Amino acid sequence: MDIRSREFQPRAVAALHDASLQQALDKARDGFVAKRAVQVAELSEFEALRETAKTLKDHVLDHLDHYLERYEAAVVAAGGQVHWARDDAEARRIILDICKRVDARTVTKGKSMVSEEIGLNTALIDAGLTVVETDLGEYIIQLAGEAPSHIIAPAVHKTREQVSDLFEKAHGGPRLTEIADLVDAARLALRERYFQADVGITGGNFLIAETGSSLIVTNEGNGDLTQTLARVHIVTAGIERVVPTLDDATLFLRLLARSATGQETETYTTLSTGPRRAGDLDGPEEYHVVLVDNGRSRMLAGPFRQMLRCIRCGACMNHCPVYGSIGGHAYGWVYPGPMGSVLTPLIKGLDAAYDLPNACTLNGRCASVCPVKIPLPDLLRRLRHEQFKQAITTLRRRRALAAWRLLATRPKLYHAFERLAARALAAIGGRAGRIRRLPGAGGWTEGRDLPAPPGRTFLERWQTERGQS
Amino acid sequence: MSSAREDILDAVRRAQGRGSRDAPTRATLDARITTPVRHLRPAFDEDLTARFIRKLESRSGTIARVDGRAGIPAAVEIFRSAHGLAPRAAVGAGLKDIDWPADWTIHHDRAGIAESLSVSPAFAGIAETGTLMLLASPESPTTHNFVPDNQVIILETTRILRHFEDAWAALRKRTGGMPRAVNLVSGPSRTADIEQTIQLGAHGPRRLHVVLVDSA
Ligand code: SF4
């Protein structure tokens, strides 16, 4: 997928003025947060599990090469094939080659963020293949010609009216407006596709070294139909997805369902181990896993390795006030919200995603809900620092920061400036004590008033009050 | 040109400032794979069967309880006629021994696109979340679990285990190792992709009915 993160600011502004988007975001926000809260409250072990999950992921990352080798050996022993892709282009080539070799025409897909990351759909379509997204959310945005706006609810930005319009255009009338009818229409449209498919592509939430299995979780069952009915099953997964054992995967599953959709478990959890066996009546004839690096091994060195603990649950974006206001598309690439603001610059370059680490209030909610305890605000702060060091920060911002440093490191000057500012703002605020328009802060005062300070600085008041006591 | 595999593994090692792990470390890591670390599990003291039923029902599954395998056909027949389904079913060959009603059309092949009802045997039930574990084999084809609108699963009450980890332990003991597919099913298919509203029957079964068999 092409990156458009440089357009973050205009796209964020457009998102704030998009009435349908705001309506869709309003509906989504509270649902996710409330459902998760209920599940977390019901599991007294939740906090302890988070800590264990963090430690376990760190252990795996420390020994990632070994566990990948063990996983590969187990896949091969079960009759599957493992392919390694250094970057997105190599991953696309591997998958295209498999499709060509088996003479594929139709490819069905379960939800896979890695496939978005490597820009797979465009490559397959350019090669003349018919690509059918089967997750309902993905199907909706495929009809709309859009990218996912959320990592677990790709069409969360669409209202029901918009889905009705899309379906009417794609399937013909009559126009359906009930959710049940819309779901049924998609079910019907996709049914034959599953059976026609030559290749079925899914993601992999976890790769299990013990058994050589890939694991997916879905609620719809689309991933299972995709991988069971196609002649060839291809799994795409990042190299950080490997875990040692089934028991280890279980630890993460307990956290994943609660953090992602606010359920105790998703409806379907499926482990796939190799292709169809002798005597089997169904299942794919070939089973492939494409292990994608695409910047991950680079992340392993240094502070950003913590980001590789991410299990793609989406809780950080569900709890992010910035994401909640602008949705996922403004972020301009595959991964939105706090995790995307860290990942995008790391995978696509600090320059290409300049605004993302800065579009954060450092309120810390994301880190407090992250099931693997990734200190997202710290990582965002570090990215800002890196941008400054590499002189990617804009000149205007660099000057402002330089001016700030000049003040902040000279207490006398700072206090003098502060006294001046407090009095000036109080004067502007007038009797109402509110500032309607402030030069240089038009964006802030456009939608609300700035309460004016009382005319004396905190320090001045502190000194007076302490003097009194 | 070096292979992508070597490049990636090298990059992983270089990033950590080391080469391949030495033999003793590898042995320790391998032992961690063969003897899984026991993690904290959600504690509960509810009766396993009661919990299994409660959890499955909370996720829109339905349950019938019968005494002994002889009670299975009647229980499936009640479900079938209650939903007005044709007397036709894809039945896992693992349930060949059951005396299905004479007027039913039964087959033991995979489920085709027009299949409306399947009946398959579960390997285990997991009380923790009310989850069924099905193993792919000719006795229980995977298509039975996802293609038909109506899915009936037969589970022996004695096969209800406490946690997922207990089911893994049972799997490890089984001959033949890891099946091609292990399906953990916790209800009928559902989606919340349109306006966060839960709708059953997204792509997989619209109904999930479990026949719990107590040993007679
Ligand atoms: S960063 Fe944490 S909260 Fe966000 S998606 Fe990843 S695991 Fe979930």
Side-chain angles (χ1 to χ4, degrees), chain B residues 158-171:
Chain B
T158 53
R159 304 289 304 170
I160 298 178
L161 309 170
R162 180 171 287 273
H163 290 116
F164 285 93
E165 288 87 342
D166 301 313
W168 306 138
L171 257 189

Side-chain angles (χ1 to χ4, degrees), chain A residues 45 61-62 65-66 69-70 72 86 137 187 191 210 219-220 247-248 250 254 269 273 282, chain B residues 5 7 13 16 18 26 30 39 43 128 143 149 165 168 172 180 184 189-191 193 203-204:
Chain A
E45 292 88 352
L61 293 174
D62 279 346
D65 48 333
H66 185 74
E69 286 178 315
R70 282 295 172 263
E72 180 189 40
R86 281 167 280 218
R187 178 187 175 99
R191 207 118 261 257
E210 174 188 359
N219 282 301
E220 300 181 2
D247 294 43
D248 295 328
T250 308
R254 289 191 178 110
T269 300
T273 314
D282 48 24
Chain B
R5 180 183 187 278
D7 278 358
R13 290 172 191 135
Q16 327 231 24
R18 61 169 171 82
R26 285 178 162 262
D30 287 343
H39 300 298
E128 176 184 352
T143 41
D149 277 10
E165 288 87 342
W168 306 138
R172 289 185 190 109
R180 183 194 69 75
L184 297 159
S189 153
R190 60 172 64 204
T191 184
D193 273 350
H203 295 284

Side-chain angles (χ1 to χ4, degrees), chain A residues 151 307 310-316 339 366 369-372 374 376:
Chain A
I151 60 170
M307 198 57 222
C310 176
I311 56 171
R312 305 285 191 269
C313 72
C316 55
M339 56 83 81
C366 51
V369 296
C370 176
V372 283
I374 300 174
L376 292 152

Side-chain angles (χ1 to χ4, degrees), chain A residues 11-29 156-162 324-327, chain B residues 195:
Chain A
R11 295 181 76 178
V13 172
L16 288 168
H17 290 96
D18 180 335
S20 302
L21 174 65
Q22 290 301 323
Q23 191 192 330
L25 288 172
D26 278 348
K27 281 212 170 131
R29 201 168 20 222
V156 70
H157 59 289
K158 288 276 181 240
T159 60
R160 185 200 315 195
E161 287 71 38
Q162 291 174 318
S325 306
I326 61 174
Chain B
E195 294 191 340

Side-chain angles (χ1 to χ4, degrees), chain A residues 164-207:
Chain A
S164 296
D165 293 344
L166 287 167
F167 279 21
E168 192 179 355
K169 223 170 112 204
H171 309 147
R175 189 170 195 274
L176 306 171
T177 52
E178 293 301 313
I179 291 178
D181 296 335
L182 291 165
V183 171
D184 261 357
R187 178 187 175 99
L188 199 69
L190 288 170
R191 207 118 261 257
E192 279 185 19
R193 297 299 205 170
Y194 292 119
F195 282 86
Q196 287 162 354
D198 303 296
V199 174
I201 300 178
T202 67
N205 290 83
F206 303 102
L207 307 172

Side-chain angles (χ1 to χ4, degrees), chain B residues 106-118:
Chain B
I106 297 276
H107 73 86
H108 303 296
D109 207 342
R110 68 181 152 205
I113 192 162
E115 211 74 61
S116 64
L117 172 65
S118 69

